Amino acid sequence: MVKEKLYIIKIGGNVIDDATALHTFLSDFAALQGKKILVHGGGKVATAIGEKLGIESKYVDGRRITDDETIDLVTMVYGGLVNKKIVGRLQSLNCNAIGVTGADAGLIPAVKRPFVKRAVVKIDYGWVGDLDEKKINTGAWQVMLDAGWRPVVAPLTYNNEGHILNTNADTIASVLAVALSDFYATSLVFCFEKDGVLEDVENVNSVIKEITPQRYRDLKDSGKLFSGIIPKIENALNALENGVKEVVIGNSAHLKELVAGNGGTRISK
Amino acid sequence: MVKEKLYIIKIGGNVIDDATALHTFLSDFAALQGKKILVHGGGKVATAIGEKLGIESKYVDGRRITDDETIDLVTMVYGGLVNKKIVGRLQSLNCNAIGVTGADAGLIPAVKRPFVKRAVVKIDYGWVGDLDEKKINTGAWQVMLDAGWRPVVAPLTYNNEGHILNTNADTIASVLAVALSDFYATSLVFCFEKDGVLEDVENVNSVIKEITPQRYRDLKDSGKLFSGIIPKIENALNALENGVKEVVIGNSAHLKELVAGNGGTRISK
């Protein structure tokens, strides 16, 4: 039996922070035919609101720590403000969006990240969620998709004590794509502000059309890749190994082209 | 055919602001058998966060005005912080909650309240939603209820331009109860911090067991009713006229008794 196509599309903070870019993207997302899920990141608005509220951003080893006040902040901003504004906008574009976090309908159970030992210190990342694709509540996702709804997912999950957990949006998108590949032919699209993966981070015209595992190793060795793209490519390769049909990385302004197979960087096995 | 029972239970800000009262209530809500919807109000946390953000509460004629920054504030706090914390808590109590606003899945379309003319001035209440029970997306509600999900509804709706609208939680609860009465035997339960409607607002032991339309008129004429209870009773009477099976007003600490028909004030035709 041929599986129905499912697009899982992730947008990051750069798109969310830019009203024009967001509007263009959402119009294209609304127009895209068939089953689809939008996963969104946070954007700078959480930091801006946090500053006004006197909530300091805390980092260890360059990674953000999600303490009690920070999880409340991102629950408000990602799960409320950003998510519901996107849902409202999509509704006005005749796209029947439903905004969710991983806690809603038990969609994405997670575990709080264990303390990480670095040399002699233990690092507590706080209320951060780690995912297991086998725990995804695929039945609940199918209910929503079969109802014709377009889930809009905030980067939040929950643990078995009911605590909300801050969770990387790229990871949510790829774990969802893997878990739902048993039921759908899943295409995973990572949208950001560049036209694709650049061979040379200094040159915007150096978009790589295709990345295989071998090509990735060579690129990584070259040292010219943008460091932020490395986890995206590794997520993508892992997703392909685990049943996802295709992964594309490209510009949020070109969603139509990306899903049509034109433009962006295609990751392949 | 006998319709399946559906509880629509509303809690207000007083319960949300009191961690112990909220915990008790949510444990009882989780334990309640059968189909159920929780509608929650806002609580003081929005005002507290608004003050920190420098967002002033604005009132005209004693009614709050929802301007641009206030709608963002309540979208964050009601739709994000309050809603998702309740959802997480219910999940930990084995209650498969899904947090929604009226915008999600097009559940509760609304219209922005038109300007109200008072004497020579027009009052603009801002981003406030007025409801029409005929517009409720009953199909989407049934999908959620049939999936075994327990919707947790923030007091937010949306208009056809996709703008989020601040909407009275009592009104949402009673309009939902009316709209879903075609499909379920709906019981509407308004929970607050008192044991029921008090015949004399000064006397906590003066709970009225039953209020009929005639009794309500007499009580209103007596001038002893708490003014905040009047719209609740009028909502209740209207709901009963429009297909809702029963309406009870009582203490959030006694949910078990209220749904069992013990305690609280029963409104009847």
Side-chain angles (χ1 to χ4, degrees):
Chain A
M1 203 184 84
V2 178
K3 289 178 186 166
E4 193 176 355
K5 206 166 173 59
L6 169 66
Y7 293 101
I8 298 181
I9 300 172
K10 187 260 171 175
I11 52 168
N14 284 297
V15 185
I16 290 161
D17 291 330
D18 178 337
T20 311
L22 183 61
H23 182 75
T24 302
F25 171 81
L26 292 178
S27 301
D28 290 343
F29 179 82
L32 180 64
Q33 294 297 307
K35 291 186 162 54
K36 53 197 172 185
I37 295 172
L38 174 59
V39 180
H40 64 82
K44 293 195 191 105
V45 60
T47 309
I49 292 173
E51 275 169 12
K52 283 194 194 171
L53 292 173
I55 299 172
E56 213 184 318
S57 297
K58 295 153 203 92
Y59 294 85
V60 172
D61 266 8
R63 301 193 73 159
R64 193 175 182 138
I65 304 296
T66 306
D67 60 7
D68 288 350
E69 51 185 9
T70 303
I71 191 65
D72 280 359
L73 173 69
V74 298
T75 300
M76 286 199 311
V77 177
Y78 302 164
L81 188 63
V82 174
N83 190 267
K84 300 311 172 191
K85 280 197 167 187
I86 291 176
V87 168
R89 181 76 61 83
L90 287 173
Q91 287 290 350
S92 75
L93 295 164
N94 288 316
C95 173
N96 197 4
I98 177 167
V100 293
T101 67
D104 297 297
L107 288 164
I108 314 174
V111 291
K112 184 174 182 290
R113 182 170 299 166
F115 289 4
V116 177
K117 210 172 173 181
R118 285 278 159 77
V120 293
V121 290
K122 278 183 181 170
I123 301 175
D124 178 6
Y125 288 106
W127 299 111
V128 170
D130 284 339
L131 301 185
D132 176 351
E133 61 227 23
K134 290 176 202 73
K135 298 282 173 65
I136 299 295
N137 187 347
T138 54
W141 285 100
Q142 287 175 282
V143 167
M144 294 198 296
L145 294 167
D146 287 347
W149 299 344
R150 315 310 191 181
V152 175
V153 190
L156 301 166
T157 59
Y158 74 115
N159 69 2
N160 60 10
E161 289 168 346
H163 207 291
I164 302 297
L165 301 171
N166 200 0
T167 308
N168 183 277
D170 283 355
T171 308
I172 288 179
S174 54
V175 166
L176 273 185
V178 169
L180 294 173
S181 284
D182 288 345
F183 311 98
Y184 305 95
T186 54
S187 290
L188 181 56
V189 183
F190 290 105
C191 289
F192 66 153
E193 73 285 6
K194 298 199 179 81
D195 285 347
V197 179
L198 303 180
E199 183 155 5
D200 178 353
V201 67
E202 306 283 328
N203 178 3
V204 294
N205 295 317
S206 67
V207 173
I208 306 167
K209 289 213 168 143
E210 189 172 13
I211 296 181
T212 60
Q214 179 57 51
R215 184 82 202 274
Y216 171 61
R217 282 187 291 272
D218 296 343
L219 286 163
K220 208 175 161 192
D221 291 343
S222 80
K224 283 186 173 173
L225 280 180
F226 170 58
S227 65
I229 206 75
I230 291 176
K232 275 191 171 53
I233 302 176
E234 292 188 349
N235 261 337
L237 288 168
N238 178 61
L240 290 168
E241 282 301 320
N242 288 285
V244 174
K245 209 154 175 246
E246 60 170 2
V247 184
V248 184
I249 300 179
N251 197 316
S252 66
H254 304 147
L255 181 63
K256 272 181 284 195
E257 291 78 7
L258 295 176
V259 298
N262 303 320
T265 300
R266 189 159 303 264
I267 316 289
S268 54
K269 280 205 277 191
Chain B
M1 203 185 84
V2 179
K3 290 177 186 166
E4 193 176 355
K5 206 166 174 60
L6 169 66
Y7 292 102
I8 299 182
I9 300 172
K10 187 260 173 176
I11 52 169
N14 284 298
V15 184
I16 290 161
D17 291 330
D18 179 337
T20 311
L22 184 61
H23 182 75
T24 303
F25 170 82
L26 292 178
S27 301
D28 289 343
F29 179 82
L32 180 64
Q33 294 298 307
K35 290 187 162 53
K36 53 197 172 185
I37 296 172
L38 174 59
V39 180
H40 64 82
K44 293 195 191 105
V45 60
T47 309
I49 292 174
E51 276 170 12
K52 283 195 193 171
L53 292 173
I55 300 172
E56 213 185 317
S57 297
K58 295 153 203 90
Y59 294 86
V60 172
D61 265 9
R63 300 193 73 161
R64 193 174 183 139
I65 304 297
T66 306
D67 60 6
D68 287 351
E69 52 186 9
T70 303
I71 191 65
D72 281 0
L73 173 68
V74 298
T75 300
M76 285 200 310
V77 177
Y78 302 165
L81 189 63
V82 173
N83 190 266
K84 300 311 174 190
K85 281 198 166 185
I86 291 175
V87 168
R89 180 76 60 83
L90 287 173
Q91 287 290 350
S92 76
L93 295 165
N94 288 315
C95 173
N96 198 3
I98 178 167
V100 293
T101 67
D104 298 296
L107 289 164
I108 314 174
V111 292
K112 185 174 180 291
R113 181 169 300 166
F115 289 5
V116 176
K117 210 172 171 182
R118 284 279 158 78
V120 294
V121 291
K122 277 183 181 170
I123 301 174
D124 178 5
Y125 288 107
W127 299 111
V128 170
D130 283 338
L131 301 185
D132 176 350
E133 61 226 22
K134 290 176 202 72
K135 298 281 174 64
I136 299 296
N137 187 347
T138 53
W141 285 99
Q142 287 175 279
V143 168
M144 293 198 297
L145 294 167
D146 288 347
W149 300 344
R150 315 309 192 182
V152 175
V153 190
L156 301 166
T157 60
Y158 74 116
N159 69 1
N160 61 9
E161 289 169 346
H163 207 291
I164 303 295
L165 302 171
N166 200 0
T167 307
N168 182 278
D170 283 355
T171 309
I172 289 180
S174 55
V175 167
L176 274 185
V178 170
L180 295 173
S181 286
D182 287 345
F183 311 98
Y184 305 95
T186 53
S187 290
L188 181 56
V189 183
F190 290 107
C191 290
F192 67 153
E193 74 285 7
K194 297 200 181 81
D195 286 347
V197 179
L198 303 179
E199 183 154 4
D200 178 353
V201 68
E202 305 285 327
N203 177 4
V204 293
N205 295 318
S206 67
V207 173
I208 305 168
K209 288 212 169 143
E210 190 171 13
I211 297 181
T212 59
Q214 180 56 49
R215 183 82 201 275
Y216 171 60
R217 283 187 291 273
D218 296 343
L219 285 163
K220 208 174 161 192
D221 290 344
S222 80
K224 284 185 172 173
L225 280 180
F226 170 58
S227 65
I229 207 76
I230 291 176
K232 276 191 172 52
I233 301 175
E234 292 187 349
N235 261 337
L237 288 168
N238 178 61
L240 290 169
E241 281 303 319
N242 288 284
V244 174
K245 207 152 176 248
E246 60 170 2
V247 184
V248 183
I249 300 178
N251 196 316
S252 67
H254 304 147
L255 181 62
K256 273 181 284 194
E257 291 78 8
L258 294 176
V259 298
N262 303 321
T265 300
R266 190 159 302 264
I267 316 289
S268 55
K269 282 204 277 191

